[in-house]
Amino acid sequence: MALISTYWAGDGDKGRAEVHKNIEEHSSFIRYYDNTNTLFFTEEFPNKSIHYVEDAAENWALGIKKLEGDLLLG
């Protein structure tokens, strides 16, 4: 597993989204952390390009993408 990129929401005061790639399984996922560094959600993206996954993480950080039960951006 490799960390590819990190996207900060609200200049980091609302949390972050980390894009990871699982080399062995050829899949990517996002780990979402709140501003206390607590992991609150993991989203998997089977069969999607790393660019697609990074766009999803960036959209969350910008407040465009919402997660069900998203406590950070609401």
Side-chain angles (χ1 to χ4, degrees):
M1 176 173 65
L3 174 63
I4 303 299
S5 54
T6 303
Y7 296 87
W8 299 92
D11 294 328
D13 64 339
K14 294 188 177 182
R16 71 183 187 279
E18 293 183 350
V19 176
H20 294 265
K21 181 149 183 84
N22 186 328
I23 307 293
E24 294 174 1
E25 295 183 15
H26 305 287
S27 64
S28 301
F29 58 95
I30 303 172
R31 287 185 175 159
Y32 298 92
Y33 295 86
D34 65 17
N35 63 347
T36 65
N37 293 319
T38 301
L39 176 68
F40 70 88
F41 191 68
T42 300
E43 185 175 20
E44 297 186 23
F45 294 84
N47 304 315
K48 296 293 185 186
S49 73
I50 195 67
H51 301 291
Y52 181 95
V53 180
E54 287 184 309
D55 285 347
E58 182 177 24
N59 286 341
W60 174 82
L62 294 172
I64 298 167
K65 174 182 173 57
K66 302 294 183 188
L67 302 175
E68 188 172 325
D70 191 340
L71 301 176
L72 298 178
L73 300 176

